[in-house]
Amino acid sequence: MFIPKQCSFLRLISKSYNRQIHGNSKRAIILGIETSCDDTGCGIVDTQGNLLGEALHSQHLTHLNNGGIIPPIAHDLHRQNIENVVQQALKSASLSLNEVDAIATTVKPGLPLSLIIGAKYGKYLCKKYHKPFIPVHHMEAHALTARMFDKSIEFPFLVLLISGGHCLLAVANSVDEFLLLGESIDDAPGEAFDKMARRLKIKNLPQYSTLSGGAAIELATSEATDFLDFAGIKAVFLRHIWRAEKKGIPPDGVMSGYQNLCASFLLTTTRHLCHRVQRGMEYLARKKLIPPDKQTLVVSGGVACNNFIAEGLQIVCENLNYKFIRPPPKFCTDNGIMIAWNGVERWNANIGVYKNFDDIEIASTSQLGQSVKEDVAAENISCKWVKLSSLAKPKVQIDSEQKSMTN
């Protein structure tokens, strides 16, 4: 049986001891700051899991009109808005910074020019108001957000994180212990959706003009009449677009048949994700890494807002006796609440709460936990794939919370 290095007996004893230091007897308030990409977010949560206040400044439309995120622009907008966002969150919570017990801030991974704004401002507040600093790993925060809304989620559990920049399948063993089963090789789903939507020029149609690529493709899928059979998903998709472009598409035009292309792309992406998750579940069963009575799949990240993908994953869960959980769509995308909640998790476990934090640096890349990808590959797991035939006729509705769903 594969035994992760992190799960040594001595470390488990240390974790248990540390958890007894803070305990849960005294309510604490944690303020979280998020600036890893293009959203400036602040959230305030207490150690009992109550959401006290929040504020968010989205740069979505700015970058949508620029054809993608431009880091220097994101940096400037974070710098212009971060103080106001924090003050708005405090006002919505009817709190002052003196009443906050600690400040949690995203420090990795993400765009360096974006991360630096949140990290510097978080440290500045900690020094000014004499508060401890809690550095947060962005993907760990996404992984644990569901525990704020569903207290039944216990460690260990399986988590799929899908967004514009990441696609990760991992086991969450504790607040800061993860086993990485697999991750995307090139584009993450959200990034692929954005690129495809831009090539299709569906932004030229009013109903798609303010939507992220993923949300636009999901909405177009609901209007489809048929599916194309894709293999080698992105390459085939691009060949279809290239052939249409050769016939000529005006700058303000849209490629004919885009709905069916979008539906096929979304179906193929969903099937691919479902197959990888199913293989991960088979691996966990073989290695006995999650007890049968704790089999839970948590799905988070911006692309988790996609109801079509969520439905496919739920079918897999039902067939393999897993409980399917995802946070509310608003909290799947980047936000300050998830950072504050990760701060709460760390505060309660007495892990990563610093009074001396000058040496803590940002990092643009950071692996989630310990990789067991080679061991997963060595198992050479063959599956009888769960059938997703009920997804053949998608019915999709996009609400306001799903418009920016790729971060």
Side-chain angles (χ1 to χ4, degrees):
M1 175 180 172
F2 176 79
I3 301 178
K5 292 180 180 178
Q6 291 111 312
C7 295
S8 67
F9 181 64
L10 289 176
R11 182 161 185 177
L12 288 174
I13 292 177
S14 174
K15 295 276 185 184
S16 176
Y17 174 73
N18 283 337
R19 285 186 176 88
Q20 296 173 17
I21 295 176
H22 275 313
N24 292 314
S25 58
K26 183 183 176 182
R27 173 177 175 264
I29 297 173
I30 311 298
L31 182 146
I33 296 174
E34 157 61 18
T35 64
S36 67
C37 190
D38 62 332
D39 286 329
T40 311
C42 181
I44 304 171
V45 178
D46 68 17
T47 48
Q48 297 170 359
N50 297 309
L51 197 167
L52 305 179
E54 61 174 317
L56 181 74
H57 177 269
S58 175
Q59 304 175 14
H60 167 65
L61 290 178
T62 298
H63 296 295
L64 183 65
N65 292 329
N66 285 323
I69 296 173
I70 300 176
I73 293 178
H75 169 90
D76 290 343
L77 291 174
H78 282 308
R79 184 162 50 84
Q80 292 169 21
N81 291 284
I82 189 167
E83 183 172 7
N84 186 48
V85 167
V86 171
Q87 291 303 317
Q88 285 180 18
L90 287 166
K91 184 177 180 180
S92 69
S94 299
L95 292 170
S96 70
L97 274 164
N98 289 320
E99 297 171 280
V100 170
D101 292 281
I103 295 173
T105 306
T106 307
V107 298
K108 60 183 178 182
L111 300 176
L113 288 175
S114 294
L115 286 169
I116 195 68
I117 298 297
K120 283 187 174 181
Y121 193 72
K123 290 181 179 180
Y124 160 75
L125 293 179
C126 288
K127 290 179 178 179
K128 182 176 180 178
Y129 293 93
H130 309 290
K131 308 295 181 182
F133 183 69
I134 306 176
V136 172
H137 188 295
H138 183 78
M139 302 314 293
E140 290 182 7
H142 271 307
L144 301 187
T145 300
R147 280 169 48 90
M148 178 178 169
F149 300 95
D150 190 332
K151 301 301 190 293
S152 70
I153 303 173
E154 297 181 10
F155 296 113
F157 60 87
L158 182 62
V159 59
L160 174 67
L161 303 177
I162 40 179
S163 67
H166 300 89
C167 184
L168 308 169
L169 185 65
V171 178
N173 280 324
S174 70
V175 172
D176 68 337
E177 292 180 355
F178 294 82
L179 294 180
L180 181 62
L181 305 182
E183 59 186 330
S184 54
I185 298 173
D186 40 45
D187 286 353
E191 184 178 359
F193 287 149
D194 285 342
K195 289 178 178 177
M196 297 304 104
R198 284 198 294 270
R199 287 294 295 271
L200 286 172
K201 298 185 177 181
I202 54 179
K203 180 179 174 290
N204 289 333
L205 296 174
Q207 65 267 39
Y208 304 106
S209 61
T210 62
L211 299 180
S212 67
I217 285 177
E218 186 179 10
L219 180 58
T221 296
S222 67
E223 303 168 354
T225 59
D226 197 6
F227 287 97
L228 301 173
D229 184 15
F230 279 161
I233 177 170
K234 197 169 98 175
V236 176
F237 193 91
L238 288 172
R239 281 200 296 272
H240 274 272
I241 295 175
W242 180 74
R243 283 197 291 267
E245 288 175 340
K246 282 189 70 177
K247 296 177 182 178
I249 302 175
D252 59 347
V254 178
M255 193 180 77
S256 62
Y258 70 89
Q259 298 98 329
N260 293 345
L261 277 172
C262 288
S264 300
F265 190 59
L266 181 54
L267 176 62
T268 307
T269 301
T270 300
R271 185 184 294 124
H272 179 83
L273 289 171
C274 288
H275 286 177
R276 295 304 177 268
V277 168
Q278 182 179 346
R279 183 173 286 151
M281 291 174 173
E282 299 283 359
Y283 173 81
L284 298 180
R286 186 175 294 187
K287 298 293 185 175
K288 298 180 180 179
L289 290 176
I290 295 183
D293 61 338
K294 288 187 177 181
Q295 291 185 159
T296 298
L297 172 67
V298 169
V299 183
S300 192
V303 178
C305 295
N306 189 301
N307 292 320
F308 189 79
I309 292 175
E311 185 181 345
L313 293 168
Q314 190 154 14
I315 292 171
V316 173
C317 287
E318 289 170 356
N319 278 267
L320 276 77
N321 298 314
Y322 267 71
K323 183 179 180 181
F324 175 84
I325 297 175
R326 64 170 171 166
K330 177 179 178 179
F331 300 104
C332 287
T333 57
D334 293 352
N335 60 87
I337 295 296
M338 73 181 201
I339 306 304
W341 174 251
N342 193 262
V344 166
E345 294 263 25
R346 289 177 170 275
W347 178 276
N348 286 337
N350 196 29
I351 297 171
V353 181
Y354 296 89
K355 290 184 178 179
N356 299 312
F357 44 79
D358 286 337
D359 293 336
I360 296 174
E361 301 288 344
I362 62 166
S364 60
T365 60
S366 179
Q367 180 176 284
L368 178 67
Q370 176 191 349
S371 175
V372 293
K373 292 187 294 184
E374 291 184 1
D375 191 65
V376 174
E379 289 295 317
N380 196 27
I381 297 171
S382 177
C383 298
K384 181 179 180 182
W385 302 122
V386 170
K387 293 183 178 179
L388 304 175
S389 54
S390 63
L391 289 173
K393 293 183 179 180
K395 294 181 180 180
V396 180
Q397 291 183 342
I398 305 295
D399 59 35
S400 59
E401 291 182 352
Q402 291 175 257
K403 287 189 176 181
S404 177
M405 66 174 213
T406 59
N407 294 328

Short mmCIF file of all heavy atoms in Angstrom, two decimals, residues 119-175:
data_model
loop_
_atom_site.label_atom_id
_atom_site.label_comp_id
_atom_site.label_asym_id
_atom_site.label_seq_id
_atom_site.Cartn_x
_atom_site.Cartn_y
_atom_site.Cartn_z
N ALA A 119 -0.53 40.66 -1.06
CA ALA A 119 0.44 40.27 -0.03
C ALA A 119 0.99 41.50 0.70
O ALA A 119 1.07 41.53 1.94
CB ALA A 119 1.58 39.48 -0.65
N LYS A 120 1.35 42.52 -0.05
CA LYS A 120 1.89 43.74 0.58
C LYS A 120 0.84 44.43 1.44
O LYS A 120 1.13 44.88 2.56
CB LYS A 120 2.42 44.70 -0.48
CG LYS A 120 3.77 44.31 -1.06
CD LYS A 120 4.29 45.41 -1.99
CE LYS A 120 5.71 45.11 -2.45
NZ LYS A 120 6.24 46.17 -3.34
N TYR A 121 -0.38 44.50 0.93
CA TYR A 121 -1.42 45.19 1.69
C TYR A 121 -1.81 44.40 2.94
O TYR A 121 -2.01 44.98 4.01
CB TYR A 121 -2.65 45.43 0.81
CG TYR A 121 -3.62 46.41 1.43
CD1 TYR A 121 -3.31 47.77 1.49
CD2 TYR A 121 -4.84 46.00 1.95
CE1 TYR A 121 -4.18 48.68 2.05
CE2 TYR A 121 -5.72 46.91 2.52
CZ TYR A 121 -5.39 48.24 2.57
OH TYR A 121 -6.25 49.15 3.15
N GLY A 122 -1.87 43.09 2.81
CA GLY A 122 -2.18 42.26 3.98
C GLY A 122 -1.12 42.41 5.07
O GLY A 122 -1.45 42.54 6.26
N LYS A 123 0.15 42.39 4.67
CA LYS A 123 1.23 42.57 5.65
C LYS A 123 1.20 43.96 6.26
O LYS A 123 1.45 44.13 7.47
CB LYS A 123 2.59 42.32 4.97
CG LYS A 123 2.84 40.86 4.61
CD LYS A 123 4.21 40.72 3.96
CE LYS A 123 4.53 39.29 3.60
NZ LYS A 123 5.86 39.15 2.98
N TYR A 124 0.90 44.95 5.44
CA TYR A 124 0.81 46.33 5.94
C TYR A 124 -0.25 46.43 7.04
O TYR A 124 -0.01 47.04 8.10
CB TYR A 124 0.48 47.26 4.78
CG TYR A 124 -0.11 48.58 5.18
CD1 TYR A 124 0.67 49.60 5.73
CD2 TYR A 124 -1.48 48.83 5.01
CE1 TYR A 124 0.12 50.82 6.11
CE2 TYR A 124 -2.04 50.04 5.38
CZ TYR A 124 -1.24 51.04 5.93
OH TYR A 124 -1.79 52.24 6.30
N LEU A 125 -1.41 45.85 6.81
CA LEU A 125 -2.48 45.89 7.81
C LEU A 125 -2.07 45.15 9.08
O LEU A 125 -2.38 45.59 10.19
CB LEU A 125 -3.77 45.30 7.23
CG LEU A 125 -4.44 46.09 6.11
CD1 LEU A 125 -5.69 45.34 5.63
CD2 LEU A 125 -4.80 47.50 6.55
N CYS A 126 -1.40 44.02 8.90
CA CYS A 126 -0.96 43.24 10.06
C CYS A 126 0.01 44.04 10.93
O CYS A 126 -0.08 44.01 12.17
CB CYS A 126 -0.30 41.93 9.62
SG CYS A 126 -1.44 40.71 8.98
N LYS A 127 0.93 44.74 10.29
CA LYS A 127 1.90 45.54 11.05
C LYS A 127 1.22 46.75 11.70
O LYS A 127 1.51 47.07 12.87
CB LYS A 127 3.03 45.99 10.12
CG LYS A 127 3.94 44.86 9.67
CD LYS A 127 5.03 45.35 8.74
CE LYS A 127 5.95 44.22 8.33
NZ LYS A 127 7.02 44.66 7.39
N LYS A 128 0.34 47.39 10.98
CA LYS A 128 -0.30 48.59 11.50
C LYS A 128 -1.22 48.29 12.67
O LYS A 128 -1.27 49.05 13.66
CB LYS A 128 -1.10 49.27 10.38
CG LYS A 128 -1.78 50.57 10.83
CD LYS A 128 -2.49 51.27 9.67
CE LYS A 128 -3.16 52.56 10.14
NZ LYS A 128 -3.82 53.27 9.01
N TYR A 129 -1.92 47.15 12.61
CA TYR A 129 -2.90 46.83 13.65
C TYR A 129 -2.44 45.69 14.56
O TYR A 129 -3.23 45.18 15.35
CB TYR A 129 -4.24 46.48 13.01
CG TYR A 129 -4.88 47.68 12.33
CD1 TYR A 129 -4.67 47.93 10.98
CD2 TYR A 129 -5.68 48.57 13.04
CE1 TYR A 129 -5.24 49.02 10.35
CE2 TYR A 129 -6.26 49.67 12.42
CZ TYR A 129 -6.03 49.90 11.08
OH TYR A 129 -6.59 50.99 10.46
N HIS A 130 -1.18 45.27 14.40
CA HIS A 130 -0.58 44.25 15.26
C HIS A 130 -1.38 42.95 15.23
O HIS A 130 -1.80 42.41 16.27
CB HIS A 130 -0.45 44.77 16.70
CG HIS A 130 0.22 46.10 16.80
ND1 HIS A 130 1.58 46.26 16.56
CD2 HIS A 130 -0.26 47.35 17.08
CE1 HIS A 130 1.90 47.54 16.70
NE2 HIS A 130 0.80 48.22 17.01
N LYS A 131 -1.56 42.44 14.03
CA LYS A 131 -2.30 41.20 13.83
C LYS A 131 -1.39 40.12 13.24
O LYS A 131 -0.44 40.43 12.51
CB LYS A 131 -3.47 41.42 12.85
CG LYS A 131 -4.40 42.57 13.21
CD LYS A 131 -5.13 42.31 14.52
CE LYS A 131 -6.07 43.48 14.85
NZ LYS A 131 -6.77 43.29 16.14
N PRO A 132 -1.66 38.85 13.54
CA PRO A 132 -0.90 37.78 12.89
C PRO A 132 -1.29 37.65 11.42
O PRO A 132 -2.40 38.02 11.02
CB PRO A 132 -1.28 36.53 13.68
CG PRO A 132 -2.57 36.86 14.35
CD PRO A 132 -2.56 38.34 14.59
N PHE A 133 -0.36 37.13 10.64
CA PHE A 133 -0.53 36.98 9.19
C PHE A 133 -0.67 35.50 8.85
O PHE A 133 0.10 34.66 9.33
CB PHE A 133 0.68 37.58 8.47
CG PHE A 133 0.61 37.56 6.97
CD1 PHE A 133 -0.29 38.36 6.29
CD2 PHE A 133 1.47 36.74 6.24
CE1 PHE A 133 -0.34 38.36 4.90
CE2 PHE A 133 1.43 36.73 4.85
CZ PHE A 133 0.52 37.54 4.19
N ILE A 134 -1.66 35.19 7.99
CA ILE A 134 -1.87 33.80 7.58
C ILE A 134 -1.72 33.72 6.06
O ILE A 134 -2.61 34.13 5.32
CB ILE A 134 -3.27 33.29 7.99
CG1 ILE A 134 -3.50 33.48 9.48
CG2 ILE A 134 -3.43 31.82 7.59
CD1 ILE A 134 -4.90 33.10 9.95
N PRO A 135 -0.58 33.23 5.56
CA PRO A 135 -0.40 33.10 4.11
C PRO A 135 -1.21 31.91 3.59
O PRO A 135 -1.23 30.83 4.21
CB PRO A 135 1.11 32.85 3.95
CG PRO A 135 1.52 32.24 5.25
CD PRO A 135 0.62 32.81 6.31
N VAL A 136 -1.88 32.10 2.46
CA VAL A 136 -2.81 31.08 1.96
C VAL A 136 -2.41 30.63 0.56
O VAL A 136 -2.07 31.44 -0.30
CB VAL A 136 -4.25 31.63 1.95
CG1 VAL A 136 -5.21 30.67 1.25
CG2 VAL A 136 -4.73 31.92 3.37
N HIS A 137 -2.47 29.32 0.36
CA HIS A 137 -2.30 28.70 -0.96
C HIS A 137 -3.67 28.74 -1.64
O HIS A 137 -4.65 28.19 -1.15
CB HIS A 137 -1.82 27.26 -0.79
CG HIS A 137 -1.43 26.58 -2.07
ND1 HIS A 137 -2.33 26.29 -3.08
CD2 HIS A 137 -0.23 26.11 -2.49
CE1 HIS A 137 -1.70 25.67 -4.05
NE2 HIS A 137 -0.42 25.56 -3.73
N HIS A 138 -3.73 29.41 -2.79
CA HIS A 138 -5.00 29.67 -3.47
C HIS A 138 -5.80 28.38 -3.72
O HIS A 138 -7.02 28.34 -3.51
CB HIS A 138 -4.72 30.37 -4.80
CG HIS A 138 -5.93 30.77 -5.56
ND1 HIS A 138 -6.69 31.88 -5.25
CD2 HIS A 138 -6.54 30.20 -6.65
CE1 HIS A 138 -7.70 31.98 -6.10
NE2 HIS A 138 -7.62 30.98 -6.96
N MET A 139 -5.14 27.33 -4.18
CA MET A 139 -5.85 26.09 -4.51
C MET A 139 -6.29 25.34 -3.26
O MET A 139 -7.33 24.68 -3.26
CB MET A 139 -4.98 25.20 -5.41
CG MET A 139 -4.54 25.86 -6.71
SD MET A 139 -5.87 26.72 -7.59
CE MET A 139 -6.91 25.35 -8.07
N GLU A 140 -5.52 25.43 -2.19
CA GLU A 140 -5.96 24.85 -0.92
C GLU A 140 -7.23 25.54 -0.43
O GLU A 140 -8.13 24.90 0.12
CB GLU A 140 -4.86 24.96 0.13
CG GLU A 140 -3.66 24.06 -0.12
CD GLU A 140 -2.60 24.18 0.98
OE1 GLU A 140 -2.88 24.85 1.99
OE2 GLU A 140 -1.51 23.60 0.80
N ALA A 141 -7.29 26.85 -0.65
CA ALA A 141 -8.49 27.59 -0.25
C ALA A 141 -9.71 27.12 -1.03
O ALA A 141 -10.78 26.88 -0.47
CB ALA A 141 -8.26 29.09 -0.45
N HIS A 142 -9.56 26.97 -2.36
CA HIS A 142 -10.66 26.45 -3.17
C HIS A 142 -11.09 25.06 -2.67
O HIS A 142 -12.27 24.76 -2.61
CB HIS A 142 -10.23 26.33 -4.63
CG HIS A 142 -10.48 27.56 -5.45
ND1 HIS A 142 -11.71 28.18 -5.51
CD2 HIS A 142 -9.65 28.26 -6.27
CE1 HIS A 142 -11.63 29.22 -6.33
NE2 HIS A 142 -10.39 29.31 -6.79
N ALA A 143 -10.10 24.24 -2.32
CA ALA A 143 -10.39 22.86 -1.92
C ALA A 143 -11.22 22.78 -0.64
O ALA A 143 -12.02 21.86 -0.47
CB ALA A 143 -9.08 22.09 -1.74
N LEU A 144 -11.01 23.72 0.27
CA LEU A 144 -11.67 23.64 1.58
C LEU A 144 -12.91 24.51 1.70
O LEU A 144 -13.62 24.42 2.72
CB LEU A 144 -10.67 24.02 2.68
CG LEU A 144 -9.39 23.18 2.78
CD1 LEU A 144 -8.60 23.57 4.02
CD2 LEU A 144 -9.70 21.69 2.79
N THR A 145 -13.20 25.33 0.70
CA THR A 145 -14.34 26.25 0.79
C THR A 145 -15.64 25.54 1.10
O THR A 145 -16.47 26.04 1.89
CB THR A 145 -14.50 27.05 -0.52
OG1 THR A 145 -13.31 27.79 -0.77
CG2 THR A 145 -15.67 28.01 -0.45
N ALA A 146 -15.85 24.37 0.51
CA ALA A 146 -17.12 23.65 0.71
C ALA A 146 -17.35 23.31 2.18
O ALA A 146 -18.50 23.20 2.62
CB ALA A 146 -17.13 22.38 -0.13
N ARG A 147 -16.27 23.17 2.97
CA ARG A 147 -16.43 22.83 4.38
C ARG A 147 -17.07 23.96 5.18
O ARG A 147 -17.62 23.73 6.27
CB ARG A 147 -15.06 22.49 4.99
CG ARG A 147 -14.63 21.06 4.67
CD ARG A 147 -13.18 20.80 5.02
NE ARG A 147 -12.76 21.23 6.34
CZ ARG A 147 -12.82 20.49 7.45
NH1 ARG A 147 -13.32 19.25 7.40
NH2 ARG A 147 -12.37 20.96 8.59
N MET A 148 -17.03 25.17 4.65
CA MET A 148 -17.70 26.29 5.31
C MET A 148 -19.21 26.17 5.19
O MET A 148 -19.95 26.58 6.08
CB MET A 148 -17.22 27.61 4.70
CG MET A 148 -17.88 28.85 5.27
SD MET A 148 -17.22 30.37 4.55
CE MET A 148 -18.41 31.57 5.17
N PHE A 149 -19.67 25.59 4.08
CA PHE A 149 -21.10 25.52 3.81
C PHE A 149 -21.70 24.16 4.15
O PHE A 149 -22.92 24.05 4.30
CB PHE A 149 -21.36 25.85 2.33
CG PHE A 149 -20.88 27.21 1.94
CD1 PHE A 149 -19.63 27.40 1.37
CD2 PHE A 149 -21.66 28.33 2.18
CE1 PHE A 149 -19.18 28.66 1.03
CE2 PHE A 149 -21.22 29.60 1.84
CZ PHE A 149 -19.98 29.76 1.26
N ASP A 150 -20.87 23.14 4.22
CA ASP A 150 -21.35 21.80 4.55
C ASP A 150 -20.45 21.22 5.63
O ASP A 150 -19.37 20.71 5.35
CB ASP A 150 -21.34 20.92 3.30
CG ASP A 150 -22.05 19.59 3.51
OD1 ASP A 150 -22.08 19.11 4.66
OD2 ASP A 150 -22.56 19.03 2.52
N LYS A 151 -20.90 21.30 6.86
CA LYS A 151 -20.08 20.87 7.99
C LYS A 151 -19.93 19.35 8.07
O LYS A 151 -19.18 18.84 8.90
CB LYS A 151 -20.69 21.39 9.31
CG LYS A 151 -20.81 22.92 9.39
CD LYS A 151 -19.47 23.61 9.26
CE LYS A 151 -19.54 25.10 9.59
NZ LYS A 151 -20.33 25.87 8.60
N SER A 152 -20.64 18.63 7.20
CA SER A 152 -20.54 17.17 7.23
C SER A 152 -19.28 16.67 6.52
O SER A 152 -18.93 15.49 6.64
CB SER A 152 -21.77 16.54 6.55
OG SER A 152 -21.76 16.76 5.15
N ILE A 153 -18.60 17.54 5.78
CA ILE A 153 -17.40 17.11 5.03
C ILE A 153 -16.25 16.88 6.00
O ILE A 153 -15.80 17.79 6.68
CB ILE A 153 -17.00 18.17 3.98
CG1 ILE A 153 -18.15 18.44 3.02
CG2 ILE A 153 -15.77 17.69 3.20
CD1 ILE A 153 -17.89 19.59 2.06
N GLU A 154 -15.77 15.65 6.05
CA GLU A 154 -14.66 15.29 6.93
C GLU A 154 -13.47 14.86 6.09
O GLU A 154 -13.60 14.38 4.98
CB GLU A 154 -15.07 14.14 7.86
CG GLU A 154 -16.21 14.47 8.81
CD GLU A 154 -16.55 13.30 9.72
OE1 GLU A 154 -15.77 12.31 9.73
OE2 GLU A 154 -17.59 13.35 10.40
N PHE A 155 -12.28 15.07 6.64
CA PHE A 155 -11.07 14.55 6.01
C PHE A 155 -11.02 13.04 6.21
O PHE A 155 -11.43 12.55 7.25
CB PHE A 155 -9.83 15.20 6.64
CG PHE A 155 -9.74 16.69 6.43
CD1 PHE A 155 -9.87 17.57 7.51
CD2 PHE A 155 -9.52 17.22 5.17
CE1 PHE A 155 -9.77 18.94 7.33
CE2 PHE A 155 -9.42 18.59 4.98
CZ PHE A 155 -9.55 19.46 6.05
N PRO A 156 -10.49 12.29 5.24
CA PRO A 156 -10.05 12.74 3.91
C PRO A 156 -11.21 12.77 2.93
O PRO A 156 -12.21 12.08 3.10
CB PRO A 156 -9.04 11.66 3.52
CG PRO A 156 -9.58 10.42 4.16
CD PRO A 156 -10.19 10.86 5.47
N PHE A 157 -11.08 13.59 1.87
CA PHE A 157 -12.06 13.60 0.80
C PHE A 157 -11.36 13.89 -0.52
O PHE A 157 -10.25 14.43 -0.55
CB PHE A 157 -13.17 14.62 1.07
CG PHE A 157 -12.72 16.05 1.20
CD1 PHE A 157 -12.58 16.87 0.09
CD2 PHE A 157 -12.44 16.59 2.46
CE1 PHE A 157 -12.18 18.19 0.22
CE2 PHE A 157 -12.04 17.92 2.60
CZ PHE A 157 -11.90 18.71 1.48
N LEU A 158 -12.02 13.51 -1.61
CA LEU A 158 -11.49 13.75 -2.95
C LEU A 158 -11.94 15.12 -3.43
O LEU A 158 -13.09 15.51 -3.21
CB LEU A 158 -12.01 12.67 -3.91
CG LEU A 158 -11.54 12.71 -5.37
CD1 LEU A 158 -10.02 12.55 -5.46
CD2 LEU A 158 -12.24 11.62 -6.18
N VAL A 159 -11.05 15.87 -4.07
CA VAL A 159 -11.40 17.21 -4.54
C VAL A 159 -10.92 17.41 -5.98
O VAL A 159 -9.79 17.06 -6.32
CB VAL A 159 -10.82 18.30 -3.61
CG1 VAL A 159 -9.30 18.21 -3.52
CG2 VAL A 159 -11.25 19.68 -4.06
N LEU A 160 -11.82 17.92 -6.81
CA LEU A 160 -11.50 18.29 -8.18
C LEU A 160 -11.56 19.81 -8.27
O LEU A 160 -12.61 20.42 -7.99
CB LEU A 160 -12.50 17.67 -9.16
CG LEU A 160 -12.36 18.10 -10.63
CD1 LEU A 160 -11.04 17.59 -11.23
CD2 LEU A 160 -13.54 17.61 -11.46
N LEU A 161 -10.45 20.43 -8.64
CA LEU A 161 -10.36 21.88 -8.76
C LEU A 161 -10.21 22.23 -10.23
O LEU A 161 -9.20 21.89 -10.85
CB LEU A 161 -9.18 22.42 -7.95
CG LEU A 161 -9.20 22.06 -6.46
CD1 LEU A 161 -7.94 22.58 -5.77
CD2 LEU A 161 -10.44 22.60 -5.78
N ILE A 162 -11.21 22.89 -10.79
CA ILE A 162 -11.21 23.21 -12.22
C ILE A 162 -11.46 24.71 -12.41
O ILE A 162 -12.44 25.25 -11.91
CB ILE A 162 -12.26 22.39 -13.00
CG1 ILE A 162 -13.57 22.26 -12.21
CG2 ILE A 162 -11.72 21.03 -13.35
CD1 ILE A 162 -14.66 21.49 -12.94
N SER A 163 -10.55 25.34 -13.13
CA SER A 163 -10.65 26.79 -13.30
C SER A 163 -9.95 27.18 -14.59
O SER A 163 -9.62 26.34 -15.42
CB SER A 163 -10.00 27.51 -12.11
OG SER A 163 -8.60 27.29 -12.10
N GLY A 164 -9.73 28.49 -14.75
CA GLY A 164 -9.04 28.98 -15.94
C GLY A 164 -7.56 28.65 -15.94
O GLY A 164 -6.96 28.49 -17.00
N GLY A 165 -6.97 28.54 -14.76
CA GLY A 165 -5.54 28.31 -14.68
C GLY A 165 -5.14 26.94 -14.17
O GLY A 165 -3.98 26.57 -14.26
N HIS A 166 -6.10 26.18 -13.62
CA HIS A 166 -5.75 24.91 -13.00
C HIS A 166 -6.79 23.83 -13.27
O HIS A 166 -7.97 24.13 -13.46
CB HIS A 166 -5.61 25.08 -11.48
CG HIS A 166 -4.57 26.05 -11.07
ND1 HIS A 166 -4.84 27.40 -10.91
CD2 HIS A 166 -3.24 25.89 -10.78
CE1 HIS A 166 -3.72 28.02 -10.54
NE2 HIS A 166 -2.75 27.14 -10.47
N CYS A 167 -6.33 22.60 -13.28
CA CYS A 167 -7.21 21.43 -13.28
C CYS A 167 -6.49 20.37 -12.48
O CYS A 167 -5.52 19.76 -12.93
CB CYS A 167 -7.49 20.96 -14.70
SG CYS A 167 -8.67 19.59 -14.77
N LEU A 168 -6.95 20.16 -11.24
CA LEU A 168 -6.25 19.29 -10.29
C LEU A 168 -7.21 18.29 -9.67
O LEU A 168 -8.36 18.64 -9.34
CB LEU A 168 -5.63 20.11 -9.15
CG LEU A 168 -4.74 21.30 -9.52
CD1 LEU A 168 -4.45 22.12 -8.28
CD2 LEU A 168 -3.43 20.81 -10.14
N LEU A 169 -6.75 17.06 -9.49
CA LEU A 169 -7.50 16.05 -8.75
C LEU A 169 -6.62 15.62 -7.58
O LEU A 169 -5.48 15.20 -7.78
CB LEU A 169 -7.82 14.85 -9.63
CG LEU A 169 -8.71 13.77 -9.00
CD1 LEU A 169 -10.10 14.33 -8.71
CD2 LEU A 169 -8.81 12.55 -9.91
N ALA A 170 -7.13 15.77 -6.36
CA ALA A 170 -6.30 15.52 -5.18
C ALA A 170 -7.14 14.97 -4.05
O ALA A 170 -8.38 15.04 -4.06
CB ALA A 170 -5.63 16.82 -4.73
N VAL A 171 -6.46 14.42 -3.06
CA VAL A 171 -7.08 14.00 -1.81
C VAL A 171 -6.71 15.00 -0.74
O VAL A 171 -5.52 15.30 -0.55
CB VAL A 171 -6.61 12.59 -1.38
CG1 VAL A 171 -7.24 12.20 -0.05
CG2 VAL A 171 -6.95 11.56 -2.45
N ALA A 172 -7.70 15.56 -0.08
CA ALA A 172 -7.45 16.45 1.05
C ALA A 172 -7.44 15.60 2.31
O ALA A 172 -8.47 15.09 2.74
CB ALA A 172 -8.54 17.51 1.13
N ASN A 173 -6.25 15.43 2.89
CA ASN A 173 -6.11 14.64 4.11
C ASN A 173 -6.28 15.46 5.37
O ASN A 173 -6.66 14.94 6.42
CB ASN A 173 -4.74 13.94 4.15
CG ASN A 173 -4.74 12.69 3.29
OD1 ASN A 173 -5.73 11.98 3.20
ND2 ASN A 173 -3.62 12.44 2.62
N SER A 174 -5.96 16.76 5.29
CA SER A 174 -6.12 17.67 6.42
C SER A 174 -6.05 19.09 5.87
O SER A 174 -6.00 19.29 4.66
CB SER A 174 -5.04 17.43 7.49
OG SER A 174 -3.77 17.85 7.02
N VAL A 175 -6.02 20.04 6.77
CA VAL A 175 -6.00 21.44 6.36
C VAL A 175 -4.85 21.75 5.42
O VAL A 175 -5.00 22.51 4.46
CB VAL A 175 -5.94 22.35 7.61
CG1 VAL A 175 -5.73 23.81 7.21
CG2 VAL A 175 -7.22 22.21 8.42
#
